[in-house]
Amino acid sequence: MAAKVPGLSESGGASILVLGSGTSVGVPMIGCACKVCQSSDPHDKRLRPSVLLKLGAKRILIDTTPDLRYQALRAAIERLDAVLYTHAHADHILGLDDVRPFNFMQRHDIPIFASAETLRSLETTFAYVFDKAPTESSRPRLTPHVFDTDPFEAAGVRITPIRIAHGKGTVHGFRFGDCAYLTDHNGIPEESLERLTGLDVLFLDALRHNPHPTHSTVEESLRTVELLKPKRAYFTHISHDLMHATLEARLPENVHLAYDELEIEINWSPAE
Ligand SMILES: [Zn+2]
Ligand SMILES: [Zn+2]
Ligand SMILES: [Zn+2]
């Protein structure tokens, strides 16, 4: 008899697990003696930014950070059905090699989804991964898929790409059901705002209080929350300028600072 593959409906439950809530250098930052980097509060320990979508039996990873190995061990991730890429900055891609154990366990290629620009950067940064020549060493085995503006399916889940401004560049967030994850950005164009209505959960970049050329601040993200009115908002990509306990106490009731290992239950049905 063939092994039984758990179906979406029978496995039930859906959540977003925060694998990392920190900015590109992580918190604490190497060598920094500031009070957040020296904080003993576990909420102030932030790995590089990533979330795992647990949708029924499906596991969809957003970005492969330089901390992926530790994040996967800490969260006891046992399988990966797809990887979505927001953009190709180092803090979002450099752990790609750690997809290999999932290849070993699952014995098949892992589908990855990226914009054409992001895929080009991945192919350059990880030339050995995309090299078709035979090799004696193992390397990640991937099936690349390129998305543009249209919704696409990843591991049977409908994903809507959300174009957002990240400094001079355009990167992507993702909507799935009534949840959306928007990391690195400092602007949301009109047509993307239209894709972000009626949300239960919205993740937003909120680097710090002081303005930044490529990232949203706490105040800017609070304005985005006012505009889009999600039921719940979570700020991520947080720098060492923000002490969790101090800021969390001042945020509106439905807005929270994300933190590593936070798991948020969401509404999701396999049809979505
Ligand atoms: Zn980043
Ligand atoms: Zn610091
Ligand atoms: Zn970035």
Side-chain angles (χ1 to χ4, degrees), residues 18-26 46-52 61-72 74 77 80 83-99 122 126 181 183-184 236-237 260:
V18 177
L19 298 176
S21 57
T23 189
S24 59
V25 293
R46 301 166 182 138
L47 296 180
R48 267 56 76 85
S50 173
V51 290
L52 181 72
L61 177 67
I62 303 187
D63 292 332
T64 54
T65 83
D67 297 316
L68 177 57
R69 176 177 173 277
Y70 180 62
Q71 289 167 327
R74 184 171 70 176
I77 303 175
L80 275 189
V83 179
L84 313 182
Y85 281 103
T86 59
H87 65 308
H89 281 164
D91 51 328
H92 297 260
I93 67 169
L94 285 186
L96 173 60
D97 197 72
D98 290 326
V99 164
L122 287 171
F126 294 94
Y181 178 78
T183 178
D184 310 39
T236 191
H237 214 292
D260 286 29

Side-chain angles (χ1 to χ4, degrees), residues 10-146:
E10 54 190 277
S11 55
S15 64
I16 302 171
L17 174 64
V18 177
L19 298 176
S21 57
T23 189
S24 59
V25 293
V27 181
M29 181 172 80
I30 295 170
C32 186
C34 82
K35 64 182 194 307
V36 175
C37 288
Q38 298 298 316
S39 165
S40 57
D41 181 353
H43 296 98
D44 289 318
K45 309 277 181 232
R46 301 166 182 138
L47 296 180
R48 267 56 76 85
S50 173
V51 290
L52 181 72
L53 314 184
K54 299 173 159 185
L55 307 173
K58 302 288 180 182
R59 297 290 178 271
I60 299 177
L61 177 67
I62 303 187
D63 292 332
T64 54
T65 83
D67 297 316
L68 177 57
R69 176 177 173 277
Y70 180 62
Q71 289 167 327
L73 289 170
R74 184 171 70 176
I77 303 175
E78 290 176 338
R79 60 175 295 109
L80 275 189
D81 295 288
V83 179
L84 313 182
Y85 281 103
T86 59
H87 65 308
H89 281 164
D91 51 328
H92 297 260
I93 67 169
L94 285 186
L96 173 60
D97 197 72
D98 290 326
V99 164
R100 285 180 300 138
F102 296 103
N103 289 137
F104 302 156
M105 289 187 288
Q106 295 169 218
R107 299 169 190 274
H108 60 71
D109 295 3
I110 307 284
I112 65 166
F113 297 79
S115 69
E117 182 187 355
T118 297
L119 186 60
R120 274 196 301 276
S121 295
L122 287 171
E123 287 167 347
T124 308
T125 308
F126 294 94
Y128 73 96
V129 172
F130 295 91
D131 186 348
K132 301 253 186 318
T135 171
E136 293 179 317
S137 312
S138 68
R139 56 192 177 201
R141 289 173 43 209
L142 312 169
T143 313
H145 300 266
V146 172

